Amino acid sequence: YFDPRVDGRYFITEDRLSTSTFISTNYNKKYAIDVSLDYETLFEDERSYHNVSVDVEPRIRFNENFIVIYSFSWNQELRERRWIDFIGDDIIYGQGDQITIENSISASYNFNALNSLTLSFRNYWSAVQYENDVFELQENGRLNRNNNYTKNNIDDPDVNFSTWNLNLTYSWQFAPGSFLTAQYRNRIFNFNADGAQSFGSSLNDMFNEPNGNTFSLRMVYFIDYNDLKNVFKS
């Protein structure tokens, strides 16, 4: 009901089947791992839709104070249909393939119960490439391909997006429920319409983009209402 971006209009998808499996080992051990596999398809004429996802997350606990977690995620969605543009009053849909890869690493060191240092890194890349022929959404919620429209009639809907985030955070609990947090953040991202660009090529282009650096300091102080009430009474 929301995808067409026009009040009162809707888009119909067919019967959906999805299945998933997940394995997680004992976190109390020095080495542990989480693995998941997901698959999804639609029962729809003239369309062979598939969506496959794989997630792997190994972790190493060096001791009670220091842990490192790596996460890898891969997703491929074939022949997905979604809104891409308007041509006059016509609502235009495209059918395309999308691939997404995400890598992240987090390391946490607890000096004691009150002081901790965390380093996290995340790289996300996603590319979508649409077929040349596009659809017009009809009033009954179905798509019509016989409309003489192609990708040449609209702005190129293909997408190639990649981003890098690095955060270094120090947290000090200086009183019950009260924290002083210092954080350094480094961020780079790249966006273009080359949906056929590979992961490696997109990564190289991203590192040619200017990066942003941010330092922040935040203090959260917990005030007990009962103690505050007694102060005003006295």
Side-chain angles (χ1 to χ4, degrees):
Y1 284 95
F2 301 101
D3 197 53
R5 293 160 172 78
V6 175
D7 288 341
R9 300 295 296 273
Y10 54 88
F11 168 56
I12 294 177
T13 59
E14 300 297 337
D15 297 332
R16 184 182 304 266
L17 171 68
S18 63
T19 182
S20 62
T21 182
F22 179 81
I23 297 173
S24 180
T25 62
N26 190 348
Y27 285 1
N28 293 321
K29 303 292 186 179
K30 181 176 182 179
Y31 301 101
I33 189 170
D34 296 332
V35 180
S36 65
L37 174 64
D38 302 274
Y39 174 75
E40 182 179 59
T41 188
L42 295 175
F43 298 99
E44 187 169 344
D45 294 337
E46 301 180 357
R47 179 185 179 195
S48 179
Y49 170 84
H50 302 282
N51 186 355
V52 181
S53 297
V54 178
D55 295 278
V56 181
E57 188 176 279
R59 58 178 61 206
I60 303 176
R61 182 184 298 276
F62 293 92
N63 51 49
E64 293 300 318
N65 303 89
F66 185 38
I67 185 172
V68 176
I69 302 173
Y70 168 69
S71 178
F72 171 79
S73 176
W74 177 88
N75 172 255
Q76 186 175 49
E77 192 171 24
L78 302 178
R79 291 167 290 277
E80 166 67 342
R81 294 176 180 178
R82 58 171 67 93
W83 176 95
I84 54 175
D85 207 349
F86 294 106
I87 299 180
D89 294 330
D90 294 337
I91 303 172
I92 306 302
Y93 271 64
Q95 176 171 286
D97 300 337
Q98 179 173 358
I99 184 169
T100 302
I101 296 177
E102 183 176 357
N103 288 278
S104 65
I105 298 175
S106 65
S108 178
Y109 187 85
N110 296 314
F111 298 95
N112 49 51
L114 304 178
N115 296 270
S116 65
L117 183 67
T118 303
L119 176 66
S120 63
F121 156 79
R122 176 178 176 265
N123 172 234
Y124 175 90
W125 170 72
S126 187
V128 185
Q129 187 174 21
Y130 288 94
E131 299 173 1
N132 186 57
D133 293 335
V134 296
F135 302 88
E136 177 188 348
L137 182 66
Q138 302 177 90
E139 292 289 342
N140 63 0
R142 301 293 182 174
L143 297 179
N144 174 26
R145 189 189 287 272
N146 300 319
N147 50 36
N148 298 318
Y149 290 144
T150 68
K151 283 170 55 175
N152 296 327
N153 298 109
I154 59 177
D155 293 334
D156 193 345
D158 291 356
V159 173
N160 188 296
F161 175 78
S162 56
T163 184
W164 151 300
N165 293 282
L166 186 147
N167 296 325
L168 180 63
T169 306
Y170 174 77
S171 180
W172 171 38
Q173 183 176 339
F174 59 90
S178 303
F179 296 87
L180 182 66
T181 304
Q183 183 180 76
Y184 165 74
R185 173 175 295 178
N186 177 266
R187 179 174 180 266
I188 312 172
F189 77 94
N190 182 44
F191 177 86
N192 59 53
D194 187 0
Q197 190 176 28
S198 67
F199 171 77
S201 178
S202 178
L203 191 66
N204 289 332
D205 287 349
M206 181 186 67
F207 283 113
N208 291 325
E209 297 294 320
N211 63 78
N213 298 281
T214 305
F215 179 79
S216 63
L217 188 65
R218 182 181 66 176
M219 184 179 73
V220 177
Y221 187 76
F222 174 74
I223 299 176
D224 191 315
Y225 172 74
N226 292 318
D227 291 342
L228 188 63
K229 181 173 61 176
N230 292 333
V231 170
F232 284 108
K233 284 184 178 180
S234 61

